[in-house]
Amino acid sequence: MSWLVLLLILYVIWDVNYFIRCVFTVFAGRLFQRKRKVTESTSIYGLCTSQDVDIFIRHMNNARYLRELDFARFHFYALTGLYERIRQRRGGAVQGASSVRYRRTIPIFHPYKIQTKLVWWDDKAIYLEQQFVTLSDGFVRAVALSKQCITNCNVEELLKTYPEAAQRPEMPADLKLWLDAIELSSQKLRKDK
């Protein structure tokens, strides 16, 4: 009985489902999927359930998209071995910025996949593009750009350990505009001090 009380307390204090899903996503990817090159896309699958919807119970809540993107990033790190290489260098990865463009809603009880791809990098961060695609029609419902800041590690040197990433790709135009907007915002915040 006491372990049930402990479990209930954990569910109240922590988002236990989040941690269970993280562990499941990483281990399922490692056990049942082949390793990917760091320049290849990875995909995870999901279903918009009653826990994911907005107050009108019709489609996925905007905040849930960001949570699902976390799982897709963890999956990408696991299948490419990127996070292991970062940890070998005593580094870490933290979300530096993200931007989501919602194109069309994901209706309740519709299956979807999230495709994650490394699109560019500099000496301090990697930049991922992630797409929500509904399985019924193949439509890209949302697109996210993510800046993953890599701490205590030079990203350009790290990625040179992957033969397929020896040459950095050209920066996508939309990523450049997004990074310019982030820099303008940072300049404004520095002026306000």
Side-chain angles (χ1 to χ4, degrees):
M1 184 66 171
S2 63
W3 64 274
L4 284 174
V5 172
L6 180 62
L7 189 61
L8 180 62
I9 291 171
L10 283 176
Y11 265 90
V12 170
I13 295 173
W14 283 333
D15 188 355
V16 175
N17 289 339
Y18 177 83
F19 293 104
I20 291 171
R21 174 90 184 271
C22 287
V23 170
F24 175 79
T25 300
V26 169
F27 284 115
R30 286 185 176 178
L31 289 174
F32 301 113
Q33 295 181 318
R34 69 173 176 80
K35 285 279 202 184
R36 298 292 199 293
K37 293 180 178 180
V38 76
T39 54
E40 290 182 315
S41 292
T42 60
S43 296
I44 66 167
Y45 293 85
L47 176 70
C48 181
T49 68
S50 59
Q51 292 184 339
D52 302 324
V53 294
D54 66 350
I55 61 171
F56 301 111
I57 312 174
R58 291 191 315 217
H59 57 81
M60 187 178 284
N61 177 311
N62 292 348
R64 190 58 97 173
Y65 284 84
L66 296 174
R67 181 181 173 114
E68 293 299 313
L69 291 173
D70 272 353
F71 301 131
R73 276 193 304 276
F74 299 150
H75 183 257
F76 175 83
Y77 279 128
L79 288 188
T80 61
L82 183 57
Y83 193 70
E84 290 173 23
R85 293 189 191 194
I86 292 168
R87 294 299 301 150
Q88 288 171 354
R89 289 165 174 73
R90 300 187 189 277
V94 295
Q95 180 83 309
S98 66
S99 175
V100 182
R101 179 173 169 241
Y102 303 99
R103 299 182 67 217
R104 200 178 289 168
T105 62
I106 298 177
I108 190 169
F109 303 124
H110 276 64
Y112 60 88
K113 68 179 175 179
I114 303 172
Q115 298 173 310
T116 302
K117 182 166 180 58
L118 174 66
V119 293
W120 198 71
W121 60 87
D122 57 27
D123 61 328
K124 296 179 182 174
I126 64 169
Y127 301 89
L128 302 174
E129 180 182 86
Q130 297 177 283
Q131 297 181 349
F132 282 83
V133 180
T134 43
L135 299 182
S136 60
D137 58 7
F139 189 80
V140 177
R141 301 290 175 137
V143 178
L145 288 174
S146 170
K147 178 182 181 180
Q148 296 286 290
C149 297
I150 309 301
T151 59
N152 302 321
C153 183
N154 183 299
V155 176
E156 289 177 331
E157 290 176 13
L158 171 69
L159 286 172
K160 285 180 183 173
T161 66
Y162 289 90
E164 65 273 16
Q167 182 68 33
R168 181 172 65 178
E170 187 174 323
M171 181 189 288
D174 58 341
L175 178 63
K176 179 169 182 359
L177 291 170
W178 181 59
L179 291 176
D180 288 345
I182 290 171
E183 180 55 32
L184 285 173
S185 175
S186 293
Q187 288 174 8
K188 179 183 170 188
L189 293 171
R190 285 191 289 268
K191 287 179 185 176
D192 290 345
K193 285 188 174 180

